Amino acid sequence: MQLVDIDDPADPRVSDFRNLTDADVRPDRRGVVIAEGVHVVERLAGSRYRMRAVLGVPDRIAALRPVLGPLEVPVYPIDKWLLSEIAGFRVTRGVLASAERAPPVSSAALVTAARRIAVLEGLNDFENLGALFRNAAAFGVDAVLLNARCADPLYRRSVRVSMGHVLQVPFATLPDPWPASLAVLGDFTVLALTPDPSAVPIREVEPPGRWAVLLGAEGPGLSPAALTIADQRVRIPMAAGVDSLNVATAAAVAFATLAD
């Protein structure tokens, strides 16, 4: 790594990190991935995304020396006040890293190599998306497929909430028309997760050799078309008076049950 001192928040060398509060929705930032915190930066360093720069307080940079040392990347050690001034918010995790987006992976390539897949329809909440990727990593899901109405998994808040696992769990966006593009799953058994009382309790499902769990957005859930295309509708049994779970939580229950 190349340690570089700066003292000006307007220094163009740290432009990747400037005013990050709205970076998730600015078209000019779509090519940059931002990682926050020591553990997330470590996962970024071990991912297929080429790191561009690191900005942080000295103790967090010191903690990252084992992974940053071999990399040819500029590292800017600064105090916490300047860090927050550049980012536009208080960076409690003390360090940020930027990286270039990697070329997209084809859904067909992911399916070929996978046994367990999560398929997402219309998930547009950054934090739910990040939490779902973290859960996918925890329970051995091999890949995530998203339809075109999902939010971008590489938005800053998604990366942060995923604890960097979105940088390591392979994903691809399915082309329209949806849900016809699910034909790419071939011999996978597609299980649609729904709160419908008529659905089969997921703990009663014998996990198939290759499965894909289909999950919809908070509120609307899965579309009728997506439900129709699934091989089986499954539900998570819940106590009386509770009709649904947060989508990332529901995904974790489903993944853990099927992975047993």
Side-chain angles (χ1 to χ4, degrees):
M1 64 180 180
Q2 307 156 19
L3 290 174
V4 182
D5 292 326
I6 64 166
D7 57 14
D8 181 0
D11 192 311
R13 292 174 293 182
V14 294
S15 59
D16 281 354
F17 308 105
R18 188 166 294 115
N19 299 326
L20 292 177
T21 52
D22 65 347
D24 286 346
V25 293
R26 294 206 323 256
D28 64 302
R29 300 303 293 272
R30 295 288 170 84
V32 179
V33 179
I34 298 294
E36 298 178 49
V38 169
H39 295 306
V40 181
V41 174
E42 286 174 338
R43 291 192 176 102
L44 174 62
S47 75
R48 66 192 189 98
Y49 301 88
R50 191 180 75 82
M51 198 177 293
R52 291 160 55 108
V54 178
L55 180 73
V57 298
D59 67 319
R60 302 300 168 86
I61 289 174
L64 286 163
R65 186 174 291 275
V67 295
L68 295 180
L71 303 180
E72 294 184 6
V73 58
V75 177
Y76 304 100
I78 57 176
D79 67 47
K80 64 180 181 181
W81 307 112
L82 184 56
L83 175 61
S84 296
E85 184 177 356
I86 293 170
F89 62 94
R90 185 180 177 189
V91 185
T92 57
R93 291 170 176 81
V95 65
L96 302 166
S98 63
E100 295 177 1
R101 287 179 178 249
V105 180
S106 76
S107 54
L110 291 188
V111 168
T112 298
R115 290 182 56 250
R116 303 168 176 176
I117 292 179
V119 184
L120 314 181
E121 180 186 35
L123 264 71
N124 50 28
D125 182 280
F126 301 142
E127 296 188 358
N128 280 340
L129 199 54
L132 194 146
F133 268 86
R134 186 177 182 181
N135 294 335
F139 295 108
V141 173
D142 300 311
V144 177
L145 300 179
L146 307 94
N147 82 329
R149 293 191 297 108
C150 288
D152 187 340
L154 295 179
Y155 282 160
R156 179 179 63 85
R157 280 177 284 169
S158 295
V159 176
R160 182 194 68 209
V161 174
S162 79
M163 288 299 294
H165 289 293
V166 71
L167 304 169
Q168 297 184 326
V169 176
F171 68 87
T173 300
L174 291 164
D176 285 330
W178 169 267
S181 53
L182 288 175
V184 72
L185 290 171
D187 64 351
F188 274 73
T189 298
V190 180
L191 304 172
L193 197 61
T194 172
D196 188 335
S198 67
V200 177
I202 193 166
R203 62 181 172 228
E204 296 179 10
V205 174
E206 183 68 27
R210 303 180 84 194
W211 52 258
V213 175
L214 189 55
L215 298 134
E218 296 270 338
L222 290 168
S223 65
L227 286 167
T228 299
I229 210 166
D231 296 305
Q232 189 172 23
R233 302 183 189 193
V234 297
R235 63 181 173 86
I236 298 170
M238 294 177 228
V242 181
D243 63 354
S244 64
L245 294 169
N246 167 276
V247 64
T249 303
V253 173
F255 299 157
T257 302
L258 294 169
D260 284 347

